[in-house]
Amino acid sequence: MTGGRGERPRMRLAAVVDEALRDLAARWLLSLLVAAVALAAGTSTVLLAAGEVDGIRATWDDQVAEGRFVQVVAGARSSGVDAAACAAVGGWTGVRAAGGRIGTEPVRFATSPASRYDHARVTPGYVQVLWPGAPEPLAGEVVVGPHAAASAGLRSGSTVVWSAVATGNAGLGAGARPDRAAPGAVSAVVAAVPARGTARDPAADRQVLSVVPAAGTVDRCVVDVDPARASAVLPALRTWFGDGVDAPRPVVDLARAVDPDAELAGRASAWWWALAASITGAAAAAAWVARRADVALHRLLGADPGTVALRLTVDVGVTVVTPVLLGTATAVVVTAPALAHEVVRTVVLADAARLLVVSAALPVLGLVLVGRGSVFRILKES
């Protein structure tokens, strides 16, 4: 014969679980009410946290796009900034792009001779500062601001022809070539037309930009700093250019704007998981108190504290933990687009994990409520 002694604990465990499930089925309405509360707790914790944090994240992204971490270094008394030093900043770890504008000249497009625009000669990296992700124009190419492109009927891949409004010694840009059919005119291929205007330099929206080598000076050095590296980059940026330049400043003043960091720290949903866990615990406790006579009867028949704890664990697993997991999973599916962002995902999953941990610890509360006290008194009062 095999397994005689080993089978008994397993049979006893199965019997206790079976009895616990039968008790839940016998009080199915009460069990269903607790499960509904737990389901709502799991769902609401994820939905509320995801909605609020995603809103804060959107504000953060909008501010970053506007220029929260774009720093401007200008020469003292409008003396300009060394172009080579500005270009070197673009190679720093923690800097996305850096560049400046060497000079501009007023021009008229052949397609809209009645309108006046500016041709800007910029250093490598400046286009990426203004429109992150935009392609860097090569020799013979330009980037046309969205407002200029819309009014002149230009699009990516087309050829733009312009003429200077006034003669002067301003350069016409790298790769530009004279148009033989129109003496004095310059033509270039449009490498890109950004979909939106830029708050980082609104004037560029009505300009045609060509890239030239970083030589001489730029009117200002504009640096797009990686938000995660700002604390390391900004101090270095203050000392890089030496004397003769003003202190770096944000391209857009957001001092009076909503601070996403403060909003995240003080979010209203920060403690919702605790409130949801409390409500769920109260519902489970009310169900246990209503069924305390059943537990007392089992204790009278010889159930030890371990057996009572096992019954309560089964109870919590079925009526609380499983619904919480189901509600959480459902809400995660609904809020999947928001959870694609790391900050939102981290905060929401942390709140859900806290709720689940507290829910899983509820059998301890059950032992305090129904696992103690006089069995005969409980049976008499019930």
Side-chain angles (χ1 to χ4, degrees), residues 195-249:
R196 297 180 180 179
T198 175
R200 300 177 175 187
D201 183 3
D205 293 338
R206 290 187 56 83
Q207 292 179 339
V208 51
L209 295 87
S210 59
V211 174
V212 297
T217 61
V218 292
D219 59 346
R220 57 180 188 163
C221 183
V222 187
V223 185
D224 188 1
V225 181
D226 184 348
R229 305 265 187 161
S231 60
V233 172
L234 295 183
L237 192 61
R238 294 187 184 99
T239 61
W240 174 250
F241 294 96
D243 298 332
V245 298
D246 294 332
R249 58 179 177 80

Side-chain angles (χ1 to χ4, degrees), residues 51-252:
E52 185 175 14
V53 177
D54 190 50
I56 296 172
R57 189 273 314 160
T59 299
W60 171 269
D61 287 351
D62 289 343
Q63 290 189 2
V64 170
E66 189 176 355
R68 180 184 178 93
F69 292 95
V70 177
Q71 298 290 309
V72 176
V73 180
R77 298 178 297 277
S78 302
S79 59
V81 179
D82 184 70
C86 181
V89 173
W92 288 4
T93 299
V95 173
R96 295 173 172 175
R101 190 168 41 212
I102 290 180
T104 61
E105 62 176 355
V107 298
R108 297 188 190 279
F109 293 156
T111 53
S112 54
S115 299
R116 174 172 164 170
Y117 304 92
D118 282 332
H119 168 224
R121 292 171 292 116
V122 301
T123 62
Y126 192 69
V127 171
Q128 281 71 39
V129 173
L130 302 189
W131 296 288
E136 184 87 2
L138 304 176
E141 295 181 341
V142 293
V143 169
V144 181
H147 297 337
S151 62
L154 299 172
R155 63 181 184 274
S156 179
S158 60
T159 298
V160 57
V161 180
W162 71 85
S163 299
V165 172
T167 59
N169 58 1
L172 297 179
R177 61 182 187 277
D179 190 326
R180 295 179 180 177
V186 176
S187 67
V189 176
V190 179
V193 175
R196 297 180 180 179
T198 175
R200 300 177 175 187
D201 183 3
D205 293 338
R206 290 187 56 83
Q207 292 179 339
V208 51
L209 295 87
S210 59
V211 174
V212 297
T217 61
V218 292
D219 59 346
R220 57 180 188 163
C221 183
V222 187
V223 185
D224 188 1
V225 181
D226 184 348
R229 305 265 187 161
S231 60
V233 172
L234 295 183
L237 192 61
R238 294 187 184 99
T239 61
W240 174 250
F241 294 96
D243 298 332
V245 298
D246 294 332
R249 58 179 177 80
V251 69
V252 178

Side-chain angles (χ1 to χ4, degrees), residues 257-347:
V258 175
D259 184 0
D261 286 330
E263 289 285 305
L264 186 62
R267 62 188 175 95
S269 61
W271 293 101
W272 176 256
W273 66 268
L275 178 59
S278 300
I279 295 173
T280 303
W288 290 328
V289 170
R291 294 163 44 203
R292 66 187 185 279
D294 297 339
V295 179
L297 181 59
H298 284 289
R299 291 172 58 199
L300 183 64
L301 295 175
D304 56 23
T307 301
V308 174
L310 178 59
R311 292 176 60 85
L312 292 172
T313 300
V314 174
D315 190 315
V316 169
V318 173
T319 63
V320 178
V321 173
T322 299
V324 165
L325 286 173
L326 181 60
T328 299
T330 302
V332 164
V333 173
V334 172
T335 59
L339 296 178
H341 300 276
E342 183 180 1
V343 172
V344 181
R345 182 171 61 253
T346 300
V347 173

